[in-house]
Amino acid sequence: MRVVLADDSVLLREGLIRLLDEVGCDVVAAVDDAPSLIAAATEHRPDVAIVDVRMPPTMTDDGLKAAVAAREQNPALGILMLSAYIELSYADVLLSDGRGGVGYLLKDRVTSLNTLAEALQTINSGGTVLDPEVVAQLLVARRSDPLAALTAREREVLAQMAEGRSNSAIAKELVITGGAVEKHISNIFSKINLPDVGSDNRRVLAVLAWLKSR
């Protein structure tokens, strides 16, 4: 199995290279930032990319964005996200296309080399691997109203979006500034777990969530 590894921690990166070699994986590139991941995936066409979510240049969700971009270029690419945090929006992005070949594991819960090797084999064969804690939180989130966290004003803005109004039209209708509209929309995207990964129209997805809740 040919693997590209992306993590900004040199200790974790070098350690994974040695561990992956023990289970017969060929690490064709190991990089420390998101742009380098895209370049390495394009050059080497690996079977699987192991990626940290939070990476340079911004240390937010750059790793996720880069993995999604690499998979758009190579749909056969498997993706294993290794993170220190549970971010349900990241899991949603990975699972959204329904094609499989993805995984989301928490770094401190990968306690054996066999666990990692089995996850990679599953992903490479088109399966899905999720940490049990991620699954548990996804189930809780699915049972709740995705719009429950929105304020009354944010719901008003979302309703205006659903009617097809532009930001300026929403500002005029609700008698608020354009900057306030942009802030409300940003909050809406964040609260209903729609990260900006460049692959979907978040405005449309937000409206769909609003329609489903009615």
Side-chain angles (χ1 to χ4, degrees):
M1 189 188 309
R2 301 174 74 251
V3 175
V4 162
L5 176 61
D7 197 296
D8 62 304
S9 168
V10 63
L11 291 179
L12 181 60
R13 196 168 62 247
E14 292 300 320
L16 279 173
I17 290 172
R18 287 162 175 74
L19 291 173
L20 291 169
D21 181 66
E22 288 186 26
V23 294
C25 291
D26 179 15
V27 180
V28 295
V31 300
D32 61 2
D33 60 52
S36 297
L37 167 59
I38 297 175
T42 301
E43 177 183 356
H44 297 284
R45 307 289 287 185
D47 300 306
V48 178
I50 301 177
V51 186
D52 187 12
V53 173
R54 300 185 181 183
M55 295 179 63
T58 70
M59 297 302 294
T60 54
D61 58 354
D62 299 87
L64 176 66
K65 290 180 180 179
V68 170
R71 188 163 158 115
E72 288 175 350
Q73 294 179 13
N74 177 17
L77 176 66
I79 299 172
L80 173 59
M81 303 303 302
L82 280 179
S83 178
Y85 312 94
I86 297 177
E87 294 284 358
L88 297 186
S89 58
Y90 300 159
D92 278 336
V93 169
L94 288 176
L95 298 170
S96 62
D97 63 14
R99 290 188 287 125
V102 296
Y104 188 137
L105 297 179
L106 299 178
K107 290 179 178 179
D108 60 358
R109 289 170 58 88
V110 179
T111 56
S112 73
L113 185 53
N114 284 340
T115 299
L116 181 60
E118 289 173 3
L120 290 172
Q121 291 291 347
T122 299
I123 292 167
N124 192 39
S125 63
T128 298
V129 178
L130 295 176
D131 187 280
E133 287 296 321
V134 175
V135 174
Q137 293 203 24
L138 281 171
L139 290 173
V140 170
R142 294 298 183 270
R143 295 191 191 107
S144 62
D145 178 2
L147 307 187
L150 300 186
T151 66
R153 177 61 86 183
E154 288 164 357
R155 286 176 175 269
E156 288 179 334
V157 170
L158 184 51
Q160 295 289 315
M161 290 166 59
E163 294 176 14
R165 289 190 171 90
S166 65
N167 287 11
S168 59
I170 294 173
K172 183 177 180 180
E173 178 68 22
L174 299 181
V175 195
I176 56 179
T177 66
V181 172
E182 291 179 2
K183 182 177 180 180
H184 287 314
I185 292 175
S186 177
N187 289 340
I188 290 167
F189 291 157
S190 176
K191 289 180 179 180
I192 62 177
N193 294 321
L194 294 177
D196 182 8
V197 296
S199 59
D200 290 308
N201 186 330
R202 293 191 297 169
R203 201 176 183 97
V204 172
L205 293 176
V207 169
L208 288 174
W210 181 81
L211 291 172
K212 289 178 182 177
S213 72
R214 291 174 64 80

